[in-house]
Amino acid sequence: MTRGGYVWWYVDAVSEDGRQGLTVIAFIGSVFSPYYAWDAARDPFAHCAVNVVLYGERGNRFAMTERNAGSLARDATSFSLGPSSLEWDGSVLTIRLDERSSPVPRAVRGTVRVRPRALTAQPFTLDTHGLHRWWPMAPDCEVEAAFTAPALSWRGSGYHDTNDGDGALEDAFTDWTWCRAPLKRGSAILYDVRRTDGSGQNLTLRFDADGTRREMRPPLAAGLPPTGLWRMPRTTRSDDGCAQVIRTFEDTPFYARSLLASTLDGEAVQPVHESLSLRRFRNPLVRLMLPFRMPRRIG
């Protein structure tokens, strides 16, 4: 992995009743880490993290502790960092989590099992130089979540992808929006990036249940209200140019995650949506706030 580079593995899921959700991201080269941004050596293995966020009706639980290479072990099918791990057996991705939230220290402990219905064949390049890559490898998954802290268990639908790159995100992009939506047969993904050179890329993808990509008409731009606390801008696309926010899962100075209601490829859907502002992430005040939610542990 190059100096300043990164790779992450991402999972999100929503329960069948829509009342619970989660996100898990395992990082080597933690791209949103202030410690990585401040590190002149830019060694990605010195800045690893497992980020887990639980979304529930009684509030969220967020954990993201950064660790160095001494806490990392990995091979072709497994990743472990401190007390948490991810393991792929060819059909199921098993995620075992044992983290603590911050700034209020509460345990986040449980197991998530992700069963992709199919795997896709093609990664996509997000920048003009081919330095940043994204692979939506399992856009349609069955997910089981069982946690002892907090005590909850549910089943639902999920999504799994991976990103990797050879430099800092904020050097290549100013912002992006992304969303994924389960369809009656398969799934739809929209990924719109804006680059620092002024260019952009709008990906409109549809995958059948067997992972085969097929054509989908690019939807129309649809405005969304900014988030309530940090006024993060949000936009998306839909068939008719209309979309609504059902719930805001995360509202941070440079990032927002939401559950929407819209129409894609002729179907009423509820996409999981994210907005990222790397211009905001560059702000020194924003980076100074992040250690309160992202502590660093060495060893």
Side-chain angles (χ1 to χ4, degrees):
M1 191 178 300
T2 62
R3 179 176 179 270
Y6 64 89
V7 58
W8 77 71
W9 298 269
Y10 168 96
V11 169
D12 75 46
V14 177
S15 63
E16 292 173 343
D17 61 10
R19 299 168 64 181
Q20 305 286 341
L22 63 81
T23 301
V24 179
I25 315 175
F27 294 93
I28 299 174
S30 184
V31 292
F32 305 122
S33 162
Y35 314 103
Y36 195 16
W38 296 329
D39 182 2
R42 300 295 289 161
D43 177 6
F45 292 97
H47 303 278
C48 303
V50 172
N51 175 216
V52 54
V53 192
L54 304 181
Y55 313 110
E57 293 181 319
R58 291 177 292 178
N60 300 347
R61 195 166 294 192
F62 179 101
M64 187 172 181
T65 299
E66 183 172 306
R67 295 177 166 88
N68 65 1
S71 299
L72 173 68
R74 64 179 182 131
D75 58 27
T77 59
S78 66
F79 170 103
S80 65
L81 185 69
S84 296
S85 65
L86 293 77
E87 185 173 2
W88 171 250
D89 69 3
S91 60
V92 180
L93 176 65
T94 300
I95 305 171
R96 295 182 174 89
L97 300 162
D98 188 357
E99 301 289 331
R100 293 193 71 79
S101 65
S102 185
V104 179
R106 296 182 295 176
V108 183
R109 187 177 302 117
T111 301
V112 180
R113 290 184 170 85
V114 182
R115 294 180 173 85
R117 292 187 171 91
L119 299 178
T120 66
Q122 180 184 358
F124 297 85
T125 298
L126 299 178
D127 68 309
T128 54
H129 302 292
L131 299 179
H132 300 270
R133 299 159 293 272
W134 166 64
W135 181 14
M137 60 175 65
D140 189 7
C141 303
E142 297 176 354
V143 176
E144 299 175 16
F147 283 80
T148 57
L152 59 88
S153 61
W154 48 265
R155 294 172 178 261
S157 65
Y159 167 94
H160 175 38
D161 73 12
T162 183
N163 286 61
D164 71 282
D166 300 320
L169 288 180
E170 62 269 29
D171 291 341
F173 308 104
T174 60
D175 58 88
W176 74 46
T177 63
W178 168 95
C179 73
R180 66 95 181 169
L183 302 174
K184 292 176 182 176
R185 293 188 298 175
S187 57
I189 308 171
L190 308 177
Y191 203 162
D192 300 337
V193 301
R194 298 291 172 265
R195 305 178 182 126
T196 53
D197 64 6
S199 65
Q201 181 175 4
N202 295 354
L203 290 168
T204 299
L205 307 176
R206 171 158 186 168
F207 296 97
D208 287 339
D210 64 359
T212 301
R213 183 184 173 190
R214 68 181 179 87
E215 291 302 313
M216 174 179 161
R217 178 189 295 181
L220 302 174
L224 295 168
T227 60
L229 178 60
W230 291 104
R231 310 302 292 171
M232 259 294 297
R234 292 183 286 192
T235 61
T236 189
R237 292 183 283 139
S238 68
D239 288 353
D240 57 3
C242 297
Q244 294 180 317
V245 177
I246 298 175
R247 181 179 172 190
T248 300
F249 288 135
E250 291 185 63
D251 182 359
T252 81
F254 68 94
Y255 179 83
R257 178 173 297 276
S258 314
L259 184 67
L260 308 182
S262 66
T263 305
L264 292 175
D265 211 19
E267 296 185 27
V269 294
Q270 292 190 355
V272 174
H273 177 275
E274 70 177 22
S275 297
L276 170 67
S277 172
L278 290 159
R279 284 177 173 165
R280 288 190 174 199
F281 175 67
R282 280 183 178 273
N283 187 310
L285 291 177
V286 170
R287 286 178 170 169
L288 286 171
M289 289 190 288
L290 291 177
F292 292 98
R293 299 205 77 190
M294 301 178 184
R296 179 168 168 83
R297 180 174 297 173
I298 303 300

